[in-house]
Amino acid sequence: MELTRTADLWWKTAIVYCLDVETFSDGNGDGHGDFRGLAQRVDYLDRLGVTCLWLMPFYPSPDRDDGYDITDFYTVDPRLGTLGDFVEFMRTARDRGIRVIADLVVNHTSDQHPWFQSARTGPDSPYHDWYVWQDKPPPDAEKGIVFPDKETSLWTYDRKARKYYLHRFYKHQPDLNVANPAVRDEIARIMGFWLELGLSGFRVDGVPFLLETGGSDDAELLPDPHDYLADLRAFLGRRCGDAVMLGEVNLPYSETMRFFGDGDGVADELTMCFDFIGMQRMYLALARGDAGPLAEALRERPLPPRDGHWATFVRNHDELTLDKLTDDERQEVFDAFGPDKDMQLYDRGLRRRVPSMMGGDQRRIRQLYSLLYSLPGCPVLFYGEEIGMAEDLSAEGRLAVRTPMQWDSGPNGGFSTADPADLPGPIPDGEFGPSHVNVRDQERDPDSLLAWMRKLIDRYRECPELAWGEYTILDTAEPSVLAHRCDIEGTVVVLHNFADHDVKPELELDVTELEDVVTGERITLADNKKVTVELEPYGCRWLRVV
């Protein structure tokens, strides 16, 4: 495919890398990662092959929810730097050809935000109706609690306001009233501000919660909230034509599709949606050693509308949610990858990273990332995955997977020169600690996980069929093997073995010759157009039709 035909839809073949500024690199030695430190690591990200950075919240915050409780949407948390530092980082990233998107967390604020503090004073406050209030909580106040280990209701009584306010997350995060036109205008103003400073879009946090109007007075009389999402997308397009909205929508496929748009074949709401269903079925397949659950999900997954795309991932910044599996299926994954209660969270997910879940087995780890870069969609990587960082279960909740980046084997893993007590979290030790897992050592090792990750990214960028092509799940008669082909002005066939033993699946292809994209080996097909492909335990092959 010609780059000139596809480059303006940059997200179709992007390599997205998610990081938390606070835990990535400390540039001034105070113990907190910051934009100065991040700017000095841009070349590393460029060498890795990253084309788009996704920044987790970097706004001022009391930090009771790791930055997702925001007190000012228009500046940088002082611990992380200044707006000037942010602009310098953006300039450096742009110079290396790396786009930047940021978390848009506007379904709630911190209870310390000036808007909420004003709203509490009563109905005469200009911000009172920016939040959702009721004299009494509704009968279903306990329904839909996101954090059942911390909250018992979606409504909390405020003594100053003498009313209950809605919070779908923590009680210190009151929900904004997106049905209020003034709130909608403010959200657009926030987006416009950061677009002017160079962002290429936003990862929209908790999209279904953002659009939820339940709890508002006369909710049934309010306009369709999807019209509002379409308005936001239209605003984004007017301000920056190639900017994207990447949405967190953890719903069944049929419901997720509506967040792309109204079904007219164009993605006029979210540009991309995360494939939560495919991710969860993938882990079920890994637990069983049977490719069936993932193959079934890929067959069920609808095609996104024109210019839309699915975003694929094997790990993100939250718990590894398994909420769309049945109870029995979820228990299978727990048994395989997180049998201890301390490894689980909210009875629906795992607070572990990939290497420890796979018992340090490099075959399984590398196969998993081969899946990430070859399955149809835009691959999203969470910081530290490229070197095989693991979790720290001594940290609370989701913070277990948000430990400081491990740059070298020195003090604090090269993250900071500060006293360890001043860091945002402890540095893991043991077999996955910096003495064994770090960037510096792996950059000098051609057989390292980092080298494998760079190779996969290079091959992914060489195979536009994987992102643009029409994919088909192939029958191999081997339950442990997932085989799929992607076709568009060329064909790539990819196979993965989920079993712990050698397999020799047979494919029937209407071609004469294949080339292994990774090794360069040529395979000539027999006259009957059949080919037997040898796969080692947890092996993978990427084959291009010659």
Side-chain angles (χ1 to χ4, degrees):
M1 297 183 67
E2 295 182 0
L3 275 176
T4 51
R5 291 180 54 195
T6 61
D8 54 343
L9 299 180
W10 59 269
W11 57 90
K12 287 273 193 174
T13 53
I15 302 295
V16 180
Y17 187 97
C18 171
L19 64 85
D20 184 349
V21 176
E22 186 180 21
T23 58
F24 199 65
S25 185
D26 177 10
N28 61 7
D30 67 352
H32 293 277
D34 47 41
F35 279 106
R36 289 187 179 186
L38 174 56
Q40 299 307 312
R41 302 294 187 178
V42 166
D43 276 345
Y44 162 75
L45 297 168
D46 182 41
R47 292 194 301 273
L48 178 59
V50 173
T51 63
C52 178
L53 282 178
W54 155 22
L55 303 181
M56 293 168 62
F58 52 82
Y59 318 99
S61 165
D63 215 24
R64 296 182 65 185
D65 185 22
D66 203 25
Y68 284 86
D69 47 333
I70 297 167
T71 57
D72 186 347
F73 291 98
Y74 291 100
T75 191
V76 172
D77 190 309
R79 295 170 301 173
L80 310 183
T82 65
L83 275 177
D85 295 330
F86 173 84
V87 171
E88 280 296 293
F89 152 70
M90 291 293 296
R91 187 206 65 79
T92 306
R94 183 172 62 248
D95 181 68
R96 302 304 191 272
I98 298 176
R99 294 175 181 268
V100 182
I101 65 175
D103 261 328
L104 183 68
V105 188
V106 289
N107 44 20
H108 56 253
T109 69
S110 165
D111 60 2
Q112 300 303 306
H113 196 293
W115 299 343
F116 187 69
Q117 290 301 309
S118 174
R120 298 174 64 213
T121 62
D124 291 336
S125 165
Y127 296 104
H128 186 75
D129 291 338
W130 284 40
Y131 296 88
V132 182
W133 304 93
Q134 291 291 347
D135 293 327
K136 294 182 179 180
D140 61 349
E142 299 177 0
K143 184 179 179 181
I145 295 172
V146 177
F147 302 119
D149 64 328
K150 299 292 185 181
E151 304 294 344
T152 58
S153 175
L154 300 182
W155 295 84
T156 291
Y157 185 73
D158 184 83
R159 293 180 182 277
K160 190 170 185 178
R162 296 183 179 181
K163 288 185 177 182
Y164 289 84
Y165 63 87
L166 176 65
H167 56 89
R168 292 184 177 85
F169 293 87
Y170 295 109
K171 62 171 63 73
H172 59 79
Q173 294 170 323
D175 277 19
L176 283 166
N177 179 14
V178 295
N180 184 334
V183 173
R184 295 185 175 199
D185 288 346
E186 189 68 23
I187 292 173
R189 192 174 294 113
I190 292 165
M191 294 171 63
F193 177 83
W194 291 105
L195 289 171
E196 288 299 315
L197 292 182
L199 289 188
S200 292
F202 302 90
R203 176 262 183 185
V204 189
D205 186 58
V207 183
F209 297 104
L210 173 63
L211 300 190
E212 180 60 55
T213 56
S216 301
D217 291 330
D218 302 321
E220 69 279 0
L221 302 178
L222 295 173
D224 187 340
H226 281 275
D227 291 342
Y228 170 53
L229 191 58
D231 287 345
L232 277 184
R233 176 67 186 281
F235 171 83
L236 184 77
R238 292 193 300 272
R239 291 295 179 93
C240 184
D242 62 353
V244 300
M245 289 170 62
L246 168 59
E248 180 189 29
V249 184
N250 181 15
L251 293 171
Y253 284 135
S254 59
E255 297 176 47
T256 299
M257 286 300 292
R258 194 177 177 203
F259 289 83
F260 279 116
D262 60 9
D264 62 357
V266 179
D268 58 1
E269 293 184 29
L270 295 175
T271 317
M272 294 189 285
C273 290
F274 285 104
D275 183 4
F276 280 93
I277 303 300
M279 179 276 293
Q280 296 181 49
R281 300 273 189 88
M282 176 176 65
Y283 277 97
L284 181 60
L286 291 166
R288 292 178 174 177
D290 181 345
L294 179 55
E296 181 184 22
L298 291 170
R299 289 190 180 101
E300 293 174 356
R301 192 176 78 173
L303 292 175
R306 181 168 57 86
D307 296 348
H309 209 31
W310 291 104
T312 55
F313 64 104
V314 301
R315 190 71 187 85
N316 65 9
H317 60 296
D318 291 331
E319 76 277 8
L320 186 74
T321 185
L322 304 167
D323 64 324
K324 296 301 182 289
L325 301 180
T326 66
D327 291 345
D328 289 343
E329 290 171 341
R330 188 180 308 113
Q331 191 58 51
E332 285 186 67
V333 180
F334 282 165
D335 291 343
F337 303 126
D340 298 341
K341 271 294 182 182
D342 190 39
M343 300 172 178
Q344 303 164 18
L345 197 60
Y346 311 132
D347 294 323
R348 65 174 185 243
L350 291 165
R351 59 191 205 106
R352 307 193 74 194
R353 281 181 176 253
V354 168
S356 54
M357 286 194 288
M358 301 299 151
D361 188 334
Q362 282 291 320
R363 300 171 305 170
R364 304 193 75 180
I365 296 168
R366 296 182 185 216
Q367 179 216 38
L368 193 50
Y369 289 107
S370 174
L371 280 165
L372 173 66
Y373 288 107
S374 62
L375 290 178
C378 170
V380 180
L381 199 67
F382 185 48
Y383 79 92
E385 284 190 278
E386 72 274 20
I387 58 172
M389 282 174 54
E391 72 283 350
D392 180 359
L393 293 177
S394 69
E396 182 181 2
R398 297 168 164 182
L399 297 179
V401 300
R402 302 177 185 177
T403 56
M405 182 67 177
Q406 298 170 191
W407 293 103
D408 58 43
S409 59
N412 296 331
F415 164 74
S416 173
T417 58
D419 187 288
D422 295 328
L423 304 186
I427 303 291
D429 55 14
E431 64 176 309
F432 298 108
S435 58
H436 300 285
V437 176
N438 67 75
V439 171
R440 182 178 176 84
D441 290 348
Q442 293 196 25
E443 283 195 314
R444 290 156 175 75
D445 180 359
D447 295 322
S448 68
L449 180 61
L450 179 60
W452 173 248
M453 205 74 76
R454 286 174 172 170
K455 178 181 289 187
L456 289 176
I457 291 173
D458 284 345
R459 299 303 179 265
Y460 168 77
R461 299 286 289 181
E462 292 172 6
C463 298
E465 296 92 340
L466 296 174
W468 286 86
E470 177 182 352
Y471 72 89
T472 307
I473 304 302
L474 303 177
D475 181 23
T476 67
E478 177 58 63
S480 69
V481 173
L482 176 72
H484 72 280
R485 64 181 288 169
C486 299
D487 299 274
I488 184 171
E489 298 183 15
T491 298
V492 173
V493 179
V494 185
L495 300 94
H496 289 89
N497 177 20
F498 285 67
D500 60 358
H501 55 266
D502 293 338
V503 293
K504 296 181 179 181
E506 185 178 74
L507 295 176
E508 185 170 350
L509 301 169
D510 189 20
V511 300
T512 57
E513 192 173 22
L514 299 168
E515 181 182 26
D516 191 306
V517 175
V518 178
T519 67
E521 176 192 354
R522 292 277 183 126
I523 302 173
T524 301
L525 275 70
D527 292 339
N528 61 3
K529 305 299 182 183
K530 291 184 178 180
V531 60
T532 299
V533 182
E534 297 185 8
L535 289 172
E536 298 177 345
Y538 309 116
C540 57
R541 301 289 295 274
W542 295 23
L543 306 172
R544 180 183 290 283
V545 172
V546 178

